[in-house]
Amino acid sequence: MKFDTPATQNPIDQLKVVGKPTDRIDGKYKTTGTAPFAYERHDVAANQAYGYVIGAGIAKGRIRAMQVDEAKRAPGVLAIVTTLDTPRLERGTMNTAYLFGGDQVQHYHQAIAVVVAETFEEARAASFLVGVDYAPEAGKFDLAAEARGAKPVPGDSGEGSGGNGEERVGDFEGAFAKAPVTVDATYTTADESHAMMEPHATVAAWDGDKVTLWTSNQMIAWGHGSVAKILGIPKENVRIDSPFVGGGFGGKLFVRADAVLAALGAKAAGRPVKVALTRPLIANNTTHRPATIQRVRIGATKDGTITAIAHESTSGNLPDGDPETAVSQTKLLYAGANRLAAMKLALLDLPEGNAMRAPGEAPGLMVLEAAMDEMAEKLGLDPVEFRVRNDTQVDPHAPDRRFSHRDLVGCLKLGAEKFGWAKRSAKPGTVRDGQWLVGVGVASAFRNNMVMKSGARVRLDEQGTVTVETDMTDIGTGTYTIIAQTAAEMMGVPLEKVVVRLGDSSFPASAGSGGQWGANSSTSGVYAACMKLREAVAQRLGINSADAVFEDGHVRSGNRAVPLGDAAQGGLTVEDTIEFGDLSKTYQQSTFGAHFVEVGVDVHTAEIRVRRMLAVCAAGRILNPKSARSQVIGGMTMGTGAALMEELVVDTERGFFANHDLAGYEVPVHADIPHQEVIFLDEVDPISSPMKAKGVGELGICGVGAAVANAVYNATGIRVRDYPITLDKLLDHMPEAA
Amino acid sequence: MKSFTYERPSSPAEAAAAVARTPNAKFIAGGTNLLDLMKLQIETPAHLVDVNALGLDTIEPTPEGGLRVGALVRNTDLAADARVRKDYGVLSRALLAGASGQLRNKATTAGNLLQRTRCPYFYDTAQACNKRQPGSGCSALDGISRQLAVIGASEACIATHPGDMAVAMRVLDATVETVDAKGGTRKIAIADFHRLPGDTPQIETALKPGDLITAVTLPKPLGGTHIYRKVRDRASYAYALVSVAAVVQPDGSGRVAFGGVAPKPWRVEAAETDMARGAKAVTDKAFAGAKPTHENAYKLKLAERTLMAAITEARA
């Protein structure tokens, strides 16, 4: 099905099942420990051995030699595959660093060997017996130092943000120089780790020259092609299966060393092999969100009309890597006649920077929306009002492109009302509650809405059960449930009559889970397949499909009502793919929100604790308010982490992220997160898809960090421009505590 | 984890003898720290002597009016003991500020005293660390040190003792009781129990090989207001950037020990005479001679302000 004109009335609009806050249908498997996550798939292949991955102990250089004899003699060891045994392997889709092979070390903890043994403990013990002679080389590890030589580059996050190295509208410099009120602020954001609960893990089994990987991956079709390319075998010889993913956040968009080394280990051992990356490898072996240095300049008239806005960002990456696209949202969020957006990239020899939840917007809004707060204060304007005043309904870089639907102002206004924003003290550092200095902050949320081609197969059986098969993934987001809701709505059956099977590369290729495009695109694919199934059912029953009503497990036409299953004698299976036309080019499609945060800052110690959070979101039709809320509060939590504590700390001497475990890399715990409220505006976006929905999985992280930072400023009068805002950065500026 | 042998004796003297006679043997109690370190091959004992069958899990009054806490009393039980809560509040609060409920259920009194540093270079076996591998150097000196020691450290090691419980025990002047392989007992003042690193940072306590901790005794109650204030980047489940264990008397006098700042709980008795004059007077003396790195110099101000918070709380 081609979607190239705005959606009109369709069966989804009945909203009998879609739009309801349904519990997730896979919840019982997760709460009973029976959901098959990759590393626990003991049943899929007999006689599984264990692989343990060794990471390089230097950041850059060459491996002269490796000694494996002692390790090979260790108890239980079946095989050892070293990087010196293996020519450098091709890279998969979106890989920047090489995953394995050859003598070059590109970054710390790059995989250099896998030890395969009868037990995990034996493999791990033997790994410590492997000797490595390194020839280290000097590397570049310090973004601040390398930023001076960084070059403008185009970039694409692969997730809906990006652009040219420099994009201009009007005369920014001239307008900024003339503006009566200006802000010129430079902020830094930290390297961050996805730190998902489930580490990357794979079970691999060969059958002749065919390999199956039971793994944890967000993008099955990409992974399928990547595995074939990396291993140098035809795609037909690869099967990937990833029905459950214990968190990804972009870290599992790509094939990583676990999959490659499980496959190589299994080949070498002649047995199925399972590999999980250990927690210390997550930081330095896999990908991370790159640190940025961002400068924002805003010029405005005295009444708060923006006349000039510039956002420049510098980040680092390995050769062939992309920049963090932190300036993209600034091209679209506010009006202003004179504009500049620019990205620079410095070469660094740190591990690979790549997509992490809302790549670009997440760190970009942490800076833009803090700079907006600075500007509002300079103007003497309420920060909500300042944002409202500079709303735009068109793409400021291409004013003939309208937003498909944009209600940022509605989010800000409703949020202000619900949060009690009017009670805010505009003068910072003036509200005290016991030991706490209290402040509130606001920020806009913005994230583009991407639509991606997505396929599904739908099967009807004689009992009237509808089975949906697609390689779409559920990375904890609720995909199983919204796909079931979609199929139930389309076919007029209760949820219990829908079976959803996901994550298998033998199923039709879907949009996959990334860039918050998954829910809207994959359900649209299911919509397309179900439309086809409705046609097929009507045809079999001899009913004119325009007259057919699908409800209560029956197909009705006039006075006739036939059980749906009657159409399935001998089986009935159809497949279709939704393909999106030019509507995402002719219209700018984005999602919007407003974050409101209250923090307390300890008057003595400068410890920051969040007290209240509210997000108001405008993201088209909400397919399931319960799972959508979970997505948004997850994003708010992750954004709070980015604002207050998350930082992969770079050892610039040795070239690695030193805090490579969950004791050192702190993410928010329950005690850090207060009650979180989420309100969805009741809206639809018919230009987006037949579902009239948009993405929501990343909107929650967008802007929330700045709202926290702005609240810290409101509480203390201290503006920290170096994220994360930890107490040591406040301490020297705190007022004397009585 | 290297393969190891294992035994589970039933008396303290047998346990001490087992460790003394076996090369590279270690005691294991709750295992909450040791097992992690074994998995990473930071600790590689050849033999484990499991002390969990030794009893040593009661809290008894002493003739002097204090409490004798068995070495195997779990952190959860010690924190919840009514006598501890009433008379040694600082200890109960320190325990509850540490780790998580699950860990406190396993972790023991003796094991908590022996927990090892959380310096990132100690944890990464590819990096130089004099504590893990004597003579290899200290990567932290010019590396990542925001969490590390500002005082009491050396050119060989700037790691901190990461615990909370020991800081409270230091302010209470607890005593560590041990037994050795020959049945000989010792009493070690908590002040002397943890060693400063000097040029042997791998030696962390006054225990000799085979010495088994049997109990920690608390002197008779001090009275006063007990406060344990732990400052960290997140609200729970994190090591202290700085912590303050304080016992403040109604006349403003008192005692204070600091955690998160040194290789051992940091208490300078001479500084306490200034308690009534306020936090700065105390921390100026207690941290005289501090040698912070540029990354952790904030701890000096933080220690002062945290003590100020504790004194304010005590007066309230």
Side-chain angles (χ1 to χ4, degrees):
Chain A
M1 177 185 288
K2 183 101 173 171
F3 182 78
D4 52 9
T5 54
T8 53
Q9 187 78 16
N10 70 42
I12 296 296
D13 294 321
Q14 301 172 97
L15 297 181
K16 289 180 181 165
V17 194
V18 169
K20 298 278 190 276
T22 310
D23 287 351
R24 55 182 71 209
I25 61 172
D26 53 327
K28 60 177 178 281
Y29 305 116
K30 289 181 172 166
T31 52
T32 56
T34 52
F37 287 94
Y39 203 72
E40 284 88 40
R41 300 197 72 177
H42 315 295
D43 56 328
V44 293
N47 206 23
Q48 294 175 18
Y50 293 79
Y52 188 89
V53 176
I54 302 177
I58 60 167
K60 186 176 168 65
R62 203 170 58 77
I63 297 177
R64 285 201 199 94
M66 295 177 75
Q67 296 86 39
V68 296
D69 293 351
E70 194 186 351
K72 278 191 170 160
R73 288 194 301 269
V77 171
L78 300 166
I80 298 176
V81 181
T82 78
T83 193
L84 297 184
D85 304 335
T86 315
R88 186 180 252 188
L89 300 175
E90 289 287 319
R91 291 173 292 186
T93 306
M94 287 179 75
N95 289 147
T96 296
Y98 289 87
L99 296 178
F100 197 66
D103 65 350
Q104 298 294 314
V105 175
Q106 286 182 293
H107 63 85
Y108 199 74
H109 277 177
Q110 192 167 25
I112 59 169
V114 62
V115 178
V116 180
E118 292 285 352
T119 69
F120 171 77
E121 288 74 15
E122 287 169 335
R124 182 175 58 188
S127 75
F128 283 94
L129 302 174
V130 173
V132 189
D133 294 341
Y134 294 108
E137 292 164 23
K140 297 182 168 80
F141 308 119
D142 184 354
L143 176 63
E146 301 307 321
R148 288 185 283 276
K151 304 277 190 306
V153 288
D156 184 340
S157 68
E159 287 210 351
S161 58
N164 294 323
E166 188 176 291
E167 295 185 25
R168 288 177 171 276
V169 176
D171 169 19
F172 167 75
E173 281 81 1
F176 185 73
K178 282 197 215 106
V181 186
T182 60
V183 155
D184 180 350
T186 297
Y187 283 71
T188 58
T189 64
D191 294 289
E192 293 168 19
S193 178
H194 305 83
M196 68 295 277
M197 287 287 280
E198 181 205 28
H200 300 72
T202 301
V203 179
W206 290 87
D207 178 9
D209 54 4
K210 291 186 157 67
V211 69
T212 302
L213 301 178
W214 294 272
T215 189
S216 182
N217 191 292
Q218 299 174 224
M219 300 292 295
I220 300 306
W222 292 2
H224 190 214
S226 294
V227 168
K229 188 174 169 217
I230 294 167
L231 297 178
I233 60 176
K235 252 173 98 165
E236 314 75 88
N237 290 2
V238 177
R239 187 183 149 222
I240 306 247
D241 188 34
S242 180
F244 286 91
V245 178
F249 310 121
K252 294 174 183 166
L253 288 168
F254 336 107
V255 168
R256 299 298 311 173
D258 58 306
V260 176
L261 291 175
L264 295 183
K267 183 137 244 183
R271 274 170 65 172
V273 166
K274 62 164 63 175
V275 171
L277 298 185
T278 57
R279 188 56 69 181
L281 289 179
I282 301 298
N284 287 287
N285 177 275
T286 75
T287 60
H288 65 278
R289 187 201 299 284
T292 64
I293 303 169
Q294 301 180 45
R295 181 185 187 193
V296 171
R297 285 172 287 172
I298 307 170
T301 59
K302 284 186 175 153
D303 70 352
T305 303
I306 294 174
T307 55
I309 185 162
H311 194 160
E312 298 158 274
S313 172
T314 303
S315 57
N317 216 332
L318 287 164
D320 305 333
D322 275 317
E324 179 71 15
T325 54
V327 305
S328 287
Q329 73 289 318
T330 308
K331 291 183 277 186
L332 292 163
L333 192 47
Y334 298 114
N338 302 285
R339 319 177 67 90
L340 165 63
M343 290 184 290
K344 287 183 183 171
L345 182 63
L347 274 187
L348 290 179
D349 298 301
L350 289 171
E352 170 178 341
N354 217 317
M356 180 169 146
R357 202 174 198 177
E361 283 96 337
L365 283 163
M366 285 167 76
V367 175
L368 173 65
E369 286 298 285
M372 286 291 286
D373 199 63
E374 296 195 40
M375 189 64 176
E377 187 182 39
K378 276 200 170 177
L379 288 161
L381 264 184
D382 182 283
V384 171
E385 174 56 28
F386 177 47
R387 287 171 170 86
V388 169
R389 214 167 270 193
N390 289 286
D391 186 47
T392 175
Q393 289 294 320
V394 299
D395 172 354
H397 282 244
D400 52 339
R401 284 180 83 228
R402 294 190 62 80
F403 283 91
S404 60
H405 183 81
R406 169 172 168 136
D407 198 3
L408 174 64
V409 169
C411 295
L412 286 162
K413 288 190 167 168
L414 182 64
E417 181 198 324
K418 297 286 182 191
F419 193 74
W421 183 254
K423 285 186 234 145
R424 163 184 179 265
S425 167
K427 190 162 186 285
T430 53
V431 179
R432 179 95 180 245
D433 176 11
Q435 74 185 79
W436 301 101
L437 298 168
V438 179
V440 294
V442 65
S444 298
F446 176 92
R447 176 81 171 114
N448 279 340
N449 177 60
M450 298 277 284
V451 285
M452 301 283 269
K453 182 177 168 180
S454 196
R457 185 155 60 219
V458 195
R459 178 175 299 139
L460 179 66
D461 71 13
E462 291 172 25
Q463 285 71 49
T465 299
V466 180
T467 300
V468 185
E469 291 173 340
T470 165
D471 83 356
M472 181 60 193
T473 48
D474 188 324
I475 62 172
T477 39
T479 311
Y480 278 103
T481 311
I482 56 170
I483 283 181
Q485 287 175 279
T486 303
E489 191 80 75
M490 291 299 292
M491 301 312 299
V493 297
L495 264 185
E496 309 79 73
K497 296 292 266 185
V498 181
V499 175
V500 181
R501 301 177 66 200
L502 300 180
D504 189 325
S505 60
S506 67
F507 297 155
S510 73
S513 297
Q516 78 168 9
W517 63 57
N520 184 34
S521 302
S522 70
T523 53
S524 295
V526 174
Y527 169 92
C530 286
M531 284 304 275
K532 210 172 190 177
L533 183 59
R534 288 163 62 109
E535 286 284 341
V537 167
Q539 201 177 350
R540 280 204 178 181
L541 297 177
I543 297 172
N544 182 349
S545 67
D547 302 333
V549 177
F550 291 75
E551 63 182 10
D552 302 330
H554 287 74
V555 189
R556 293 181 209 284
S557 175
N559 293 331
R560 192 176 159 211
V562 186
L564 181 63
D566 286 6
Q569 282 169 16
L572 182 54
T573 304
V574 302
E575 186 176 325
D576 201 5
T577 296
I578 188 97
E579 292 183 73
F580 294 90
D582 284 340
L583 288 173
S584 60
K585 295 192 182 72
T586 48
Y587 291 89
Q588 175 57 41
Q589 298 188 18
S590 304
T591 61
F592 304 89
H595 288 287
F596 293 82
V597 173
E598 178 180 300
V599 304
V601 180
D602 187 284
V603 69
H604 289 104
T605 63
E607 289 161 288
I608 303 165
R609 299 291 180 253
V610 177
R611 292 156 65 104
R612 274 196 303 147
M613 305 183 91
L614 164 68
V616 182
C617 300
R621 171 175 283 153
I622 299 303
L623 302 175
N624 180 329
K626 192 169 189 174
S627 53
R629 177 182 182 276
S630 292
Q631 284 300 295
V632 175
I633 65 173
M636 291 157 77
T637 303
M638 208 170 201
T640 300
L644 297 180
M645 63 193 80
E646 290 189 41
E647 178 177 16
L648 285 167
V649 183
V650 184
D651 181 326
T652 55
E653 286 290 311
R654 297 160 191 84
F656 75 116
F657 299 125
N659 52 338
H660 49 56
D661 60 33
L662 290 179
Y665 185 84
E666 291 183 18
V667 298
V669 295
H670 284 94
D672 290 299
I673 301 300
H675 179 70
Q676 297 170 314
E677 198 177 341
V678 181
I679 298 170
F680 293 107
L681 296 190
D682 186 9
E683 63 170 43
V684 292
D685 191 338
I687 294 168
S688 169
S689 77
M691 303 301 291
K692 304 175 186 173
K694 293 198 274 201
V696 74
E698 295 179 343
L699 184 60
I701 195 176
C702 293
V704 68
V708 172
N710 296 339
V712 170
Y713 175 76
N714 185 243
T716 62
I718 305 165
R719 185 74 71 179
V720 176
R721 296 188 183 86
D722 174 24
Y723 289 104
I725 305 172
T726 46
L727 62 90
D728 45 316
K729 296 169 188 173
L730 292 174
L731 214 49
D732 280 340
H733 313 282
M734 288 288 284
E736 282 305 311
Chain B
M1 189 180 283
K2 278 194 174 169
S3 292
F4 56 89
T5 52
Y6 171 88
E7 69 180 298
R8 190 170 197 178
S10 54
S11 80
E14 268 179 67
V19 165
R21 72 169 165 260
T22 320
N24 196 14
K26 268 197 165 330
F27 299 112
I28 184 165
T32 56
N33 191 202
L34 180 60
L35 284 177
D36 282 353
L37 295 171
M38 286 170 67
K39 290 173 185 173
L40 295 164
Q41 255 170 250
I42 294 162
E43 295 267 19
T44 53
H47 185 67
L48 286 184
V49 176
D50 182 338
V51 296
N52 286 297
L54 302 186
L56 306 179
D57 57 355
T58 57
I59 304 172
E60 309 287 349
T62 64
E64 294 78 23
L67 287 179
R68 186 167 186 275
V69 180
L72 292 168
V73 172
R74 306 287 153 172
N75 288 176
T76 296
D77 297 330
L78 183 56
D81 185 274
R83 295 159 293 181
V84 173
R85 290 178 51 158
K86 175 170 168 285
D87 293 328
Y88 306 95
V90 65
L91 177 58
S92 182
R93 287 172 187 179
L95 283 159
L96 294 176
S100 66
Q102 294 92 329
L103 287 167
R104 293 194 295 267
N105 287 342
K106 285 295 286 179
T108 63
T109 305
N112 192 325
L113 285 174
L114 297 173
Q115 66 179 301
R116 307 201 67 191
T117 186
R118 291 285 165 167
C119 175
Y121 301 97
F122 177 71
Y123 265 81
D124 188 332
T125 49
Q127 300 298 326
C129 171
N130 286 322
K131 189 185 277 296
R132 176 169 35 76
Q133 195 180 350
S136 63
C138 173
S139 298
L141 280 176
D142 66 348
I144 304 306
S145 59
R146 180 172 176 268
Q147 300 266 353
L148 302 180
V150 294
I151 196 162
S154 71
E155 284 300 300
C157 181
I158 58 170
T160 45
H161 174 81
D164 297 297
M165 183 194 79
V167 185
M169 287 181 171
R170 179 69 181 91
V171 90
L172 293 169
D173 272 336
T175 302
V176 181
E177 298 184 5
T178 66
V179 63
D180 66 21
K182 293 175 185 143
T185 59
R186 275 204 296 162
K187 291 186 176 182
I188 308 168
I190 187 79
D192 303 324
F193 183 78
H194 293 102
R195 292 178 75 257
L196 294 180
D199 51 13
T200 54
Q202 72 277 18
I203 303 171
E204 294 173 353
T205 69
L207 294 175
K208 297 197 191 73
D211 279 354
L212 173 71
I213 299 172
T214 51
V216 174
T217 52
L218 305 174
K220 69 176 188 199
L222 292 169
T225 301
H226 287 223
I227 291 176
Y228 190 77
R229 184 76 162 85
K230 180 175 181 178
V231 181
R232 40 192 161 175
D233 289 322
R234 64 180 174 193
S236 177
Y237 205 44
Y239 297 94
L241 299 171
V242 163
S243 69
V244 163
V247 177
V248 183
Q249 301 298 340
D251 64 359
S253 69
R255 299 179 176 189
V256 61
F258 298 89
V261 293
K264 62 189 285 187
W266 196 253
R267 180 176 170 202
V268 176
E269 278 86 343
E272 293 170 353
T273 54
D274 288 325
M275 276 288 272
R277 288 177 51 212
K280 187 168 191 314
V282 176
T283 51
D284 279 353
K285 266 194 199 171
F287 290 92
K291 280 190 193 162
T293 66
H294 74 282
E295 285 191 8
N296 65 24
Y298 74 95
K299 287 190 176 190
L300 296 174
K301 179 165 266 183
L302 184 58
E304 177 196 326
R305 293 184 72 113
T306 308
L307 177 57
M308 197 187 298
I311 292 171
T312 306
E313 187 184 334
R315 284 178 186 156

